[in-house]
Amino acid sequence: MFQSFDVISNPANVAPRVAKLRVEMEKLGLDGFLVPRADEHQGEYVPPRAKRLAWLTGFTGSAGVALIFKNDAFIFVDGRYTLQVREQTDLSIFKIESLIDTPPSVWLAEHGKGLTIGFDPWLTTIAEAKALREALEKIGGRLVPVVDNLVDLVWGDQPSAPLEPVTIQPIAFAGEEAASKLDELSRAVSKAGATATVLTDPSSIAWTFNIRGKDVSNTPLPLSFAVIGKEGEPSLFIDKRKLPIETEAYLTQLAKLRSPGSLEDYLRSCGAEGDAILLDPALAAEKLRMIVEDAGGRVIEGTDPARLPRALKNEAELDGSRRAHERDGVAMVSFLSWLDEQVPGTIDEIAAATRLEETRRSVAESFQMPLEDISFDTISCAGPNGAIMHYRVNTDTNRMLNEGELYLVDSGAQYRDGTTDITRTVPIGTVSDELKRAFTLVLKGMIAISTARFPKGTRGMDIDVLARIALWKHGLDYAHGTGHGVGSYLAVHEGPQNISKRGAHELMTGMILSNEPGYYKPGAFGIRIENLVAVTEPEMLEGGDIPMMGFETLTFCPIDRRLIDTSLLTKEELVWLDAYHAEVREKLLPHVEGKAREWLVTATETLG
């Protein structure tokens, strides 16, 4: 099993750990100290060594910040985690704040007068540090970088840095040679007026060099840094203990291999030469800016030059994604048909998640494309647990799938040819009309995105409303984005593309995104339906004046017909749903047998 269901947070640990941290704060004369959920690369998934926020607070979500004072403490989380954080941390120690509405910089602007706040510049981006510094300086406060992270000083059994082997991503799946990508990035560095750039995001490094790793769970990343100049040989800062002979020989042809510990001295030498270094303020650590500028160099702020090219999937990557989703669809059909055979009240959330992972593994083997990992811990939630948007089942919270309730399963896989992410919500036994109504309203939003047509230049924020309008008309909504970008055997959450109220980047051909509206009633149920889609080339429509882009659906798995109130669907929506199910049947039926085959035929019958 890639996923563990052990209880990994204990609120009873919070008070003594915070007390130890406060001792270290006092030694440095700090009024407060920031503990973000981040590592030196600012990634969503971090190695065990970097899970400082979870160790200190008990909160295990993928986004959050703790702010510790001498006599008070706060934890900032977004809307996905408002229920989870209350269960995991000690509420007698931590007060909860919104990471979106009042992030630490905004909160400190109101409450930080005259305070000295410590932070680890390796774990804070340039943009975050700037916002914090400006907020404090306006009211007589100070932001002070620490040399040693204070959590590390009190975390006695902190794990070591990962040393998992790095592999080469075959050109058949990558679609472009690494040398070509490096040339493209060198041109981008020159265009930005910089001498070199530092790639800090391991996803960008993995994509650029066509390599993959296993340094963090769920995402095939080799933790490393790279410096790419406008000319000359690139440098890759990676621990050679991760490199098998073949991988090292391959990388040696592309870059000078250097130890991670030499990065600081290398950048100091660049700064001493007066070099201009391109850094992404939203991704690069503040420490990197400090090193370059303190040495006499200049920082040019700009976007990671690999970020957009990485998001624009080439045809090999799109073909790989199509194959991965067809394979994944077979696994989902096998799992859902099995689930339908189970008597309500006899299967729990852990058993269901375990069965799904085992099914994915066996189906992948039958296709001779191994399951490399799951793309995130399966969100397996029954009844009221479904209302916790990013619920992670463990042995304490494990719940039976009971008669009359909904079961929501959000899961994904990592295959060499693609990354998947799919959510299906299904009834356990007979469910109420209230649940069917809510499910159908969510489905209307999902269909609206699937069928959307839009001109070049359209941003995610421009179409987000399409997924919400049916819910809004009934006084309902959901507190998460409608869609996130997805990588190609890389991160399941990828930028810059997204569909949300803040999705400011235009949607471009080849981008893969999720389409996942939902609705959550606290203490009762949760509903989410999710497919992945790819942005298509602009094309002229019959009778139209300008070319329109759209979405190609990549995910193929039945949407539960038993939860659909057809009276709430328009004719166009019914036509789309029937056509989708016909394509699901066509693609998957040749790969399933026995009861799963019978189940698939029934699950894809027409409704219109």
Side-chain angles (χ1 to χ4, degrees), residues 228-305:
I228 300 171
K230 63 180 180 181
E231 56 188 13
E233 185 180 32
S235 290
L236 180 60
F237 296 81
I238 189 167
D239 195 316
K240 285 190 177 182
R241 289 175 292 177
K242 299 179 186 180
L243 305 180
I245 294 174
E246 180 185 5
T247 306
E248 183 174 357
Y250 163 78
L251 289 172
T252 300
Q253 300 174 58
L254 298 170
K256 173 71 175 178
L257 302 184
R258 304 178 186 270
S259 70
S262 67
L263 176 63
E264 292 191 35
D265 285 343
Y266 184 89
L267 291 178
R268 285 191 187 95
S269 67
C270 292
E273 293 291 327
D275 289 350
I277 305 299
L278 176 66
L279 295 176
D280 189 328
L283 295 174
E286 168 72 356
K287 181 68 175 181
L288 299 176
R289 182 199 65 79
M290 293 167 57
I291 293 169
V292 172
E293 293 186 349
D294 289 350
R298 181 165 59 96
V299 167
I300 295 176
E301 293 190 359
T303 304
D304 172 352

Side-chain angles (χ1 to χ4, degrees), residues 51 236 306 342 398 426 439 555:
K51 294 182 179 180
L236 180 60
Q342 309 310 306
N398 191 27
V426 300
F439 181 90
T555 305

